[in-house]
Amino acid sequence: VICSIIGWDSSTLEMKFEAIQVAITLLLGGNRRVQEQFFAYINEDDDNSFLLNIKDLLLEHYERWIRYEYDKYRIKQNEMNFGGTSFINREPAYHTAAVLNFDPQEYMEKVIRILRFLQLLCENHNRDLQMILQSQPAGKSFDFVQYVVEMLRSYHRVIRLTNSGLGMQLLNTLIEVIQGPCRENQIALCRYKVLDLIRYILELDGEGVKEDLFNFGDLDYDDDDEEEIPSRKSSFSPTKKQETFIGYVAEMKGTASTLLLSLVEGKFDADLFDRVSSSLEYYLIRDRLANVYHKYTSRRKNVFVGKIQLRSFQESVKARHIYGELKEGIDLFILLKKLSRYDKEIKRLLNESLLSEKEVGNAFKFFDSIVVSIEVTIEEELVKVYFPLHPGSAHLTEVSKSMVKEMAGHENAATKINHFLEEAPYLLEEMNYIEILKSSRARFLHPGQLPTIERFALFFALATNFCFMFVIRKENGYVHFSSDTGKLLFYLFAFGLLLMATWMFIVTFFNRAPLVIKNKWNRKVVENRRRAISLHESDTQEILPATKLTATEGRYILRTKGPEAEEFNKIKHRDFGSLVTKLDYWWLSSRMLFEDQTMIYVIVFTVLAYTGMFYSPLHFAFHLLEFVRKSATLQNILRAVSLTKNQLMMTGLLCFAIIYLYTVIGFYYFQKDFIYKVYTGDYEAICDNLWNCYISTINLGLRMGGGIGDAISVPSFVLNDEHYYARVLYDLTFFIIIILILLNIIFGLIIDTFAELRDRNKRIELEKKNRCFICSIERPEFDRLSRTGFHQHIQNEHHLWNYVFFMLHLKTKDPTEFDGVESTIAEQVKRLDPAWIPNERALILEESPQEEKESENAEMFSRKFMESLQAQIAMTLARTNQNEMKPGEAKRSVTMARSSDRLG
């Protein structure tokens, strides 16, 4: 219907523009289904009437508007009589009367509406529609790409504040028609000389040489301003309107730099890169980078100057700056990095700028610190991707890093990468949550304080237990302090421990609990969907608010979509609807929280601190187990027990069953021998009933080195030799089976597991030192084939944390602003698809053989050339000696000799 209304000649202009507005609403966000319907309609439009009417509406309204602007600009210039050269070509203008009856704002808004429609047709890199805007299959074809470039060419001469929206829309439309990338449109833009327009926009400045831009009518000085209009020789002091215009120019430059970066997006194209590098002067980009850096630092105090470290990054740069005032500089720096990989001259100049000690050097070091790169696989081709670090990158904790690094022990590279991608959402949530906490006033909740809190807690635990040993006495069954000073000191340390335990619990709970619950809910939802667990006969087809769902439907949605489901978040606050769904959510969330070992430990640690303070000092002794958290060796010992718990449990059951068998035999045949000397010096029978006999056999038989025979009385050989031999058999078999075999099996399980853990840790350390986590290629390959070596590879090319930061970049960036590579990878990350991670591939290894081959070819050519040159020189000298050389030959020989000297 929309296409028909626009394509019909009988439709009024108002109807057509309303139809375009409806189309924009439907296309918002890059609605792929609507885009496909537009594409199908255009393909089936035999006379191309739809795009013909779009073209006519666009060009007619723009031409009327631009002629008005040209005419008005000349009138303003003549009235102000400031002299100078006009920015516009002399075009036929409307009469003054026509100008007065013309509403340029309405026409400009209509042009913007059409351009926005064209932009949204190509949103999210719809290649079919990108191509169809350049040429159509049916009827007369129109090149909308060329139209937009020509509009920008005429617009750039009348830039001012009131038409700023049109300039931004023109640039955004061009960006969208080439991102993806669309190689044909990239080449077309270069052919239409859009690079000249970009260069002009980058040269714009609200101060200095372009000061005459402020003489536009809408930028006149306010009448109520006390300041006088500055002369051309006076210092520049802009008013609020002019400052607004300066901000618009900066925004326009940022968009123009994005367009410039989009031109070199995708695979390397020698012709395209050559056009870009030859059309743009390096010094222009260098000066723009320095200017952006200067403006950014001059308006802020304590900004880190030059190369910054990651830990200082968040303090220096905010997220809004990355996509705001620093955007132009970041895009231009990324452009230089891309071009420098293929242009040796730009690479040389870039290195010179990075090494410079002047402000230019500081600017380049600054951008070099906040722009990093990774290598990704796109359509089986290895591509280097540059992106700005998000300030939240500084919040990746060491605990999380250790958790990821432990995955290096996986022998299977695919399993390792899959685990890495599964853990990545948790890392992103952690960084985002910590950034929110740090931006709030609750700075005492920042998790970076936990290591310090834990160290103080361990100190107070040691001090408390040390006092406990020397100042506590027990007399007549009562515990008391030996002195008032000791009591004061004990409670002082105990209070410090209580304070540290409480603080540790608060910080851990507020930082860990939300992340643990959210992460476990995400995993539960994925697991339920993967296993296709059906809690209800059919899913709800229509998205209804939670208040209209039954309890069964609410629980089903909760378990298959999670608490973030749209049904529960239709209003400002989360609403689960029925009480049953709400209780189910809280019950499952509580279970998830108490399944986390760290939370359990912190809760127990805090509870023992309170019970030790207010109930019994004995509980402070348990706090010394904090040593286990500080020692990897002790953790491995406990892990050796926990990993073999099933084997240990079954072996223990077998041991107790055999002991019970020996207990029954002893109870029936050797009951009189089961006597034991107690602390009073008397001997008591310990086998008067089967239960006591069993407990005594376990207690004494396992603790005695020789088994139960060492604990009970020794039989007499003289009085009863049969009883003696029976006891020998009983004691020896107990010793062999229980002490030698079963107990050693238990010890062996623990020791072997501990050795395996130790070997695994060594293997992980070797893996981290000698194998790239990302591509799984070993160190010798890089040391043998690459110029930079293994260390530079894992620090710069396949830096593990840069891949995490790239996923954070994708999460925080507006999806409609993604380029083609980012869109592809964002979809793969969402599906946990590891295809974008380079496996057994690295650019440095793939480029090095080619470079070596080219170097060998060049060396061979040089060698052959020198041999040929030397032969010709020898022949010439021979002729000289024979006095047969002609003047022309003499001249050639001199030239050859000089060439030989230069070639060395």
Side-chain angles (χ1 to χ4, degrees):
V1 174
I2 292 171
C3 294
S4 299
I5 292 173
I6 296 173
W8 288 338
D9 293 334
S10 58
S11 300
T12 63
L13 282 177
E14 185 178 357
M15 289 176 61
K16 291 183 179 182
F17 279 102
E18 287 300 323
I20 292 173
Q21 185 59 48
V22 174
I24 290 173
T25 305
L26 292 174
L27 287 166
L28 283 176
N31 191 318
R32 182 67 65 170
R33 184 178 175 184
V34 177
Q35 287 176 338
E36 290 172 356
Q37 291 178 0
F38 273 111
F39 178 71
Y41 185 92
I42 295 171
N43 273 330
E44 296 170 2
D45 189 4
D46 295 333
D47 55 358
N48 206 13
S49 60
F50 171 67
L51 287 183
L52 171 63
N53 277 271
I54 292 290
K55 185 267 295 184
D56 289 342
L57 289 172
L58 176 65
L59 297 185
E60 287 174 9
H61 283 76
Y62 181 76
E63 183 179 2
R64 181 75 183 274
W65 176 83
I66 195 64
R67 287 180 180 276
Y68 169 84
E69 290 292 315
Y70 277 12
D71 190 57
K72 181 180 178 181
Y73 180 56
R74 285 198 295 271
I75 292 172
K76 290 283 182 181
Q77 185 175 12
N78 294 334
E79 288 179 354
M80 295 176 70
N81 194 25
F82 59 79
T85 304
S86 173
F87 284 112
I88 65 174
N89 293 325
R90 295 294 176 180
E91 299 284 353
Y94 295 99
H95 295 292
T96 305
V99 170
L100 295 176
N101 295 325
F102 176 69
D103 184 5
Q105 195 68 23
E106 179 185 353
Y107 272 65
M108 185 186 69
E109 289 174 357
K110 288 181 178 180
V111 172
I112 291 174
R113 187 181 302 182
I114 299 172
L115 291 171
R116 176 66 171 157
F117 168 68
L118 296 177
Q119 176 193 353
L120 290 174
L121 280 179
C122 306
E123 191 79 46
N124 288 343
H125 325 301
N126 192 314
R127 179 172 174 78
D128 293 332
L129 285 167
Q130 286 175 330
M131 292 296 299
I132 215 165
L133 287 184
Q134 191 182 55
S135 61
Q136 296 81 49
K140 186 178 180 181
S141 183
F142 311 106
D143 189 350
F144 283 91
V145 178
Q146 183 178 7
Y147 296 154
V148 177
V149 173
E150 293 304 323
M151 290 165 67
L152 181 63
R153 194 183 312 280
S154 58
Y155 167 80
H156 86 276
R157 302 174 181 180
V158 291
I159 297 174
R160 52 179 180 162
L161 190 59
T162 53
N163 59 40
S164 59
L166 177 58
M168 294 298 296
Q169 187 59 62
L170 285 166
L171 291 171
N172 285 325
T173 303
L174 290 176
I175 290 171
E176 207 57 54
V177 299
I178 64 173
Q179 277 189 340
C182 180
R183 183 66 73 192
E184 293 79 3
N185 285 347
Q186 287 177 323
I187 295 172
L189 285 188
C190 290
R191 188 169 63 249
Y192 301 147
K193 298 183 179 180
V194 75
L195 290 166
D196 295 337
L197 301 176
I198 294 174
R199 184 172 64 244
Y200 174 82
I201 294 172
L202 293 178
E203 289 175 343
L204 286 177
D205 199 347
E207 306 171 20
V209 296
K210 296 296 181 183
E211 187 177 327
D212 48 357
L213 286 170
F214 294 104
N215 292 314
F216 291 165
D218 57 325
L219 295 176
D220 290 338
Y221 286 85
D222 298 337
D223 295 335
D224 56 351
D225 283 344
E226 295 181 2
E227 300 175 350
E228 295 181 357
I229 298 177
S231 65
R232 291 188 173 273
K233 296 181 180 180
S234 64
S235 60
F236 183 68
S237 178
T239 62
K240 290 182 179 180
K241 283 187 177 181
Q242 293 167 333
E243 288 177 352
T244 305
F245 181 72
I246 293 173
Y248 160 64
V249 170
E251 185 181 2
M252 193 173 186
K253 290 176 185 176
T255 309
S257 63
T258 303
L259 175 60
L260 187 57
L261 194 58
S262 300
L263 280 171
V264 295
E265 181 185 338
K267 300 177 183 178
F268 172 67
D269 186 302
D271 180 59
L272 187 63
F273 274 66
D274 182 61
R275 289 192 184 195
V276 173
S277 59
S278 60
S279 299
L280 293 173
E281 296 181 2
Y282 173 82
Y283 297 102
L284 168 64
I285 300 179
R286 183 199 65 182
D287 293 342
R288 285 305 311 151
L289 280 170
N291 186 267
V292 171
Y293 174 75
H294 173 73
K295 286 185 177 180
Y296 181 76
T297 55
S298 62
R299 292 195 294 267
R300 289 166 179 83
K301 297 180 180 179
N302 302 323
V303 175
F304 215 97
V305 178
K307 191 171 180 65
I308 63 175
Q309 301 297 325
L310 186 60
R311 62 178 178 271
S312 305
F313 178 58
Q314 201 273 341
E315 302 295 338
S316 301
V317 184
K318 304 298 181 184
R320 63 180 183 275
H321 302 155
I322 295 294
Y323 306 110
E325 51 195 304
L326 288 175
K327 186 178 186 301
E328 179 192 353
I330 289 172
D331 287 346
L332 292 177
F333 188 79
I334 291 175
L335 176 70
L336 287 179
K337 296 287 281 188
K338 281 190 172 185
L339 294 177
S340 66
R341 298 188 66 237
Y342 307 101
D343 191 315
K344 293 182 179 180
E345 179 63 17
I346 290 181
K347 184 176 182 179
R348 182 185 67 81
L349 294 171
L350 179 60
N351 291 333
E352 286 181 1
S353 299
L354 285 168
L355 296 174
S356 174
E357 297 298 330
K358 301 178 180 178
E359 187 172 5
V360 170
N362 286 335
F364 273 76
K365 292 184 183 75
F366 176 80
F367 286 110
D368 189 44
S369 298
I370 62 178
V371 172
V372 294
S373 66
I374 59 172
E375 294 176 4
V376 299
T377 304
I378 302 294
E379 297 178 354
E380 298 185 358
E381 181 165 348
L382 210 53
V383 178
K384 185 180 281 289
V385 176
Y386 296 90
F387 65 96
L389 280 174
H390 189 277
S393 307
H395 302 310
L396 184 61
T397 61
E398 293 299 325
V399 175
S400 298
K401 288 182 178 181
S402 301
M403 178 183 65
V404 175
K405 286 179 179 178
E406 286 182 359
M407 300 175 192
H410 289 291
E411 296 181 0
N412 190 335
T415 304
K416 174 180 63 178
I417 295 299
N418 286 331
H419 286 181
F420 168 65
L421 292 177
E422 289 174 1
E423 292 296 330
Y426 176 82
L427 302 179
L428 303 183
E429 289 293 339
E430 180 186 46
M431 289 186 283
N432 182 55
Y433 186 74
I434 294 173
E435 185 180 18
I436 293 173
L437 278 180
K438 191 163 186 178
S439 62
S440 66
R441 295 184 178 181
R443 297 200 174 245
F444 69 96
L445 295 177
H446 193 273
Q449 303 178 45
L450 269 177
T452 304
I453 297 172
E454 290 172 356
R455 283 194 292 269
F456 274 103
L458 182 58
F459 166 76
F460 283 117
L462 287 170
T464 302
N465 282 278
F466 186 80
C467 288
F468 187 66
M469 286 191 296
F470 291 99
V471 303
I472 296 293
R473 297 286 185 269
K474 187 174 183 180
E475 297 177 357
N476 299 324
Y478 294 97
V479 177
H480 63 89
F481 290 93
S482 59
S483 66
D484 292 338
T485 304
K487 180 179 179 180
L488 177 63
L489 195 60
F490 174 81
Y491 277 110
L492 184 65
F493 288 129
F495 180 76
L497 177 58
L498 181 67
L499 185 63
M500 291 298 109
T502 305
W503 193 2
M504 183 167 63
F505 170 76
I506 293 173
V507 173
T508 304
F509 181 82
F510 277 96
N511 283 278
R512 192 169 183 84
L515 298 175
V516 168
I517 292 173
K518 188 168 186 177
N519 185 47
K520 288 185 178 290
W521 266 113
N522 290 339
R523 293 188 179 188
K524 187 177 185 65
V525 168
V526 171
E527 182 183 356
N528 285 345
R529 288 179 176 175
R530 187 180 298 166
R531 294 167 55 188
I533 295 178
S534 179
L535 303 176
H536 191 249
E537 291 182 359
S538 63
D539 200 353
T540 306
Q541 297 298 322
E542 183 182 359
I543 297 178
L544 300 173
T547 53
K548 294 184 179 181
L549 298 174
T550 64
T552 306
E553 290 172 339
R555 293 181 69 243
Y556 172 72
I557 292 172
L558 178 65
R559 293 174 180 245
T560 55
K561 296 184 179 180
E564 303 295 331
E566 189 176 348
E567 288 85 350
F568 304 137
N569 297 275
K570 277 189 168 292
I571 55 179
K572 291 184 179 180
H573 63 278
R574 184 178 294 170
D575 183 13
F576 292 104
S578 67
L579 179 62
V580 175
T581 308
K582 187 177 297 185
L583 291 175
D584 193 30
Y585 167 74
W586 285 109
W587 165 248
L588 291 174
S589 298
S590 301
R591 278 183 54 190
M592 293 171 181
L593 182 60
F594 284 99
E595 286 172 358
D596 184 66
Q597 295 180 0
T598 302
M599 282 304 307
I600 294 173
Y601 175 82
V602 172
I603 290 171
V604 172
F605 189 91
T606 307
V607 170
L608 288 174
Y610 276 91
T611 55
M613 187 74 173
F614 300 107
Y615 180 69
S616 172
L618 172 67
H619 297 171
F620 285 126
F622 292 99
H623 291 98
L624 294 179
L625 295 177
E626 177 71 9
F627 277 115
V628 177
R629 297 186 70 196
K630 301 297 182 185
S631 172
T633 303
L634 294 178
Q635 290 177 11
N636 281 338
I637 293 173
L638 294 182
R639 200 174 289 121
V641 176
S642 63
L643 290 176
T644 57
K645 58 181 181 296
N646 292 330
Q647 298 96 313
L648 293 176
M649 187 181 297
M650 299 309 297
T651 308
L653 287 174
L654 176 62
C655 181
F656 288 130
I658 295 175
I659 290 175
Y660 177 74
L661 178 62
Y662 274 90
T663 301
V664 173
I665 295 172
F667 181 75
Y668 274 95
Y669 299 105
F670 307 111
Q671 185 180 26
K672 293 181 180 180
D673 294 342
F674 277 78
I675 58 174
Y676 191 74
K677 187 177 181 179
V678 296
Y679 69 93
T680 60
D682 298 329
Y683 287 87
E684 292 183 357
I686 57 174
C687 201
D688 52 344
N689 61 62
L690 190 58
W691 173 252
N692 289 340
C693 194
Y694 183 57
I695 296 301
S696 300
T697 303
I698 293 175
N699 179 36
L700 300 175
L702 293 179
R703 291 193 299 111
M704 295 297 180
I708 192 64
D710 286 358
I712 60 180
S713 62
V714 180
S716 172
F717 176 77
V718 176
L719 296 178
N720 190 343
D721 56 345
E722 292 181 0
H723 180 75
Y724 179 82
Y725 286 121
R727 274 290 308 279
V728 168
L729 182 62
Y730 181 80
D731 295 347
L732 280 177
T733 54
F734 186 97
F735 173 75
I736 293 171
I737 295 173
I738 302 297
I739 305 301
L740 290 184
I741 298 178
L742 291 179
L743 287 184
N744 281 303
I745 286 175
I746 293 174
F747 298 149
L749 286 172
I750 297 173
I751 293 171
D752 288 346
T753 306
F754 178 76
E756 289 176 4
L757 289 173
R758 183 184 57 194
D759 294 340
R760 179 176 177 273
N761 289 337
K762 288 183 179 179
R763 187 172 67 252
I764 290 174
E765 290 300 320
L766 288 174
E767 289 282 330
K768 288 191 290 187
K769 292 179 180 178
N770 299 289
R771 186 187 294 272
C772 174
F773 186 98
I774 298 299
C775 64
S776 299
I777 301 177
E778 296 183 350
R779 177 191 289 268
E781 290 292 312
F782 293 99
D783 293 339
R784 182 171 60 90
L785 297 176
S786 70
R787 301 184 306 274
T788 54
F790 178 77
H791 181 72
Q792 286 296 319
H793 170 74
I794 61 174
Q795 288 297 320
N796 298 323
E797 296 153 6
H798 284 182
H799 188 50
L800 172 60
W801 309 126
N802 283 350
Y803 283 82
V804 178
F805 301 152
F806 181 68
M807 287 185 274
L808 178 64
H809 167 72
L810 295 179
K811 183 178 180 180
T812 55
K813 188 176 181 180
D814 184 356
T816 60
E817 300 295 328
F818 286 165
D819 59 25
V821 173
E822 290 172 340
S823 295
T824 302
I825 295 177
E827 288 298 321
Q828 292 175 330
V829 169
K830 191 181 297 183
R831 301 193 307 265
L832 300 180
D833 183 1
W836 63 282
I837 303 287
N839 183 25
E840 298 290 341
R841 296 183 67 184
L843 270 176
I844 190 67
L845 298 182
E846 295 184 2
E847 292 175 350
S848 295
Q850 180 67 23
E851 291 178 0
E852 290 177 4
K853 185 177 180 180
E854 292 176 358
S855 177
E856 290 175 0
N857 292 338
E859 185 178 352
M860 184 181 299
F861 173 80
S862 176
R863 186 169 60 252
K864 289 182 178 180
F865 177 75
M866 289 297 298
E867 291 174 355
S868 174
L869 189 62
Q870 289 173 358
Q872 292 184 34
I873 293 174
M875 292 175 61
T876 303
L877 291 175
R879 291 179 182 178
T880 303
N881 294 334
Q882 297 174 5
N883 298 320
E884 296 179 355
M885 183 166 46
K886 298 178 181 179
E889 292 177 344
K891 185 176 180 180
R892 283 198 301 273
S893 67
V894 171
T895 304
M896 290 178 187
R898 289 175 178 173
S899 300
S900 177
D901 290 339
R902 285 198 301 271
L903 292 171

